[in-house]
Amino acid sequence: MKKICVLTGAGISAESGVKTFRDEDGLWENHEITEVATPEAFLRNPELVLDFYNQRRRQLMGVKPNAAHTALVDLEKKYEVHIVTQNVDDLHERAGSSSVLHLHGELTKSRSSKNDQLIYDQKEDLYLGDLCEKNSQLRPHIVWFGEAVPEMENAISLVFEADIIIIIGTSMQVYPAAGLIDFKKDNAPVYFIDPKPTIQSTDTIELISEKASQGVQKLVDKLLSS
Ligand code: APR
């Protein structure tokens, strides 16, 4: 079976009603990254950080996967599909994708702030005083700015092993995730789906300047019929 690696960003969840980060009215327009998404912010004002993620987690419970997430599941009929997502939502899993790697963590999980191997399901709000089994404060299982991206090695392998790369809904601004494309096989074609693409087309990169729900469905139909 041919292998496809799909790199997704906030844009694939936009039509589900989940805010992106850098579009107008994006998440970073209403919040300072340094106030809510760094380890220093959590030390300085843990309640503010916990509330930021509580709000996003509550909002996630009210949305559902869209046609783009679902089309990627259909792709598994003919290809070995691995999703590598920068998103912390669980919409790929809820759509039914069987292989999802979260580079930046997961909103529906928390972890010990002292031992990052102690990870817990977290569907409810998280508060100061909620402790792990070793009695240290629980924190969102999110990779904050300035923190390591532990899944990067696995992501690089998935990109390198792929025969086809699909990139959906990312502004390609945040490293190391944005650098994953550099690890692809030279002859592996890249399909880049975004209404406002931030990269140029080349002999191996085809831009599909459409919203994910339309663009992904069209590409999946093409790949399933080829
Ligand atoms: N369909 C497809 N793409 C879309 C849609 C849509 N309906 N709506 C917006 N987009 C595109 C935008 O054009 C933009 O290129 O999605 C991209 C969203 O870019 P960002 O908001 O920067 O999100 P992302 O690239 O995922 O951010 C990467 O930055 O803040 C950190 O950790 C955070 O994982 C996040 C990382």
Side-chain angles (χ1 to χ4, degrees):
M1 237 184 190
K2 277 199 168 187
K3 292 181 181 174
I4 296 185
C5 186
V6 187
L7 306 178
T8 65
I12 195 171
S13 298
E15 290 160 272
S16 294
V18 180
K19 277 192 174 187
T20 62
F21 294 95
R22 296 173 183 83
D23 287 322
E24 62 284 349
D25 192 32
L27 220 44
W28 298 144
E29 289 220 328
N30 306 313
H31 298 277
E32 280 300 317
I33 287 174
T34 52
E35 296 294 307
V36 292
T38 66
E40 296 76 13
F42 188 57
L43 283 174
R44 186 172 57 244
N45 190 341
E47 288 96 335
L48 179 71
V49 173
L50 291 172
D51 182 58
F52 174 67
Y53 288 95
N54 286 343
Q55 285 179 49
R56 291 177 65 192
R57 191 181 303 106
R58 272 183 236 136
Q59 198 237 6
L60 182 56
M61 302 304 162
V63 300
K64 57 186 192 311
N66 63 57
H69 297 101
T70 309
L72 293 176
V73 182
D74 293 342
L75 211 44
E76 296 187 25
K77 290 175 193 153
K78 188 176 171 192
Y79 298 89
E80 183 183 317
V81 181
H82 297 281
I83 313 269
V84 174
T85 187
Q86 298 172 84
N87 299 340
V88 294
D89 63 52
D90 60 347
L91 294 176
H92 283 301
E93 289 89 342
R94 282 161 56 189
S97 285
S98 46
S99 167
V100 183
L101 185 71
H102 286 270
L103 282 175
H104 295 162
E106 299 179 64
L107 207 44
T108 58
K109 291 183 179 162
S110 57
R111 74 163 186 263
S112 163
S113 48
K114 287 285 175 297
N115 176 346
D116 56 14
Q117 301 306 311
L118 296 178
I119 299 168
Y120 308 89
D121 281 338
Q122 186 70 44
K123 299 282 193 291
E124 306 302 319
D125 284 357
L126 191 55
Y127 294 105
L128 213 50
D130 290 346
L131 306 179
C132 76
E133 60 204 78
K134 303 284 186 195
N135 280 328
S136 72
Q137 176 64 44
L138 284 174
R139 56 162 278 180
H141 183 47
I142 298 287
V143 176
W144 282 327
F145 286 88
E147 294 187 315
V149 180
E151 291 296 344
M152 198 56 198
E153 283 306 309
N154 293 334
I156 288 169
S157 306
L158 291 173
V159 169
F160 181 70
E161 287 156 12
D163 302 299
I164 297 170
I165 307 281
I166 303 175
I167 302 178
I168 308 166
T170 176
S171 62
M172 302 287 276
Q173 311 245 319
V174 174
Y175 285 80
L180 277 171
I181 189 172
D182 300 334
F183 293 92
K184 78 172 188 71
K185 291 191 189 85
D186 289 345
N187 63 343
V190 178
Y191 298 95
F192 193 93
I193 302 171
D194 192 310
K196 291 178 275 178
T198 51
I199 65 171
Q200 305 298 319
S201 61
T202 66
D203 55 335
T204 55
I205 300 177
E206 179 183 333
L207 299 185
I208 302 172
S209 305
E210 297 198 41
K211 289 187 169 187
S213 57
Q214 283 99 0
V216 176
Q217 187 63 63
K218 279 186 202 164
L219 177 61
V220 167
D221 291 346
K222 175 179 156 186
L223 291 171
L224 289 179
S225 59
S226 66

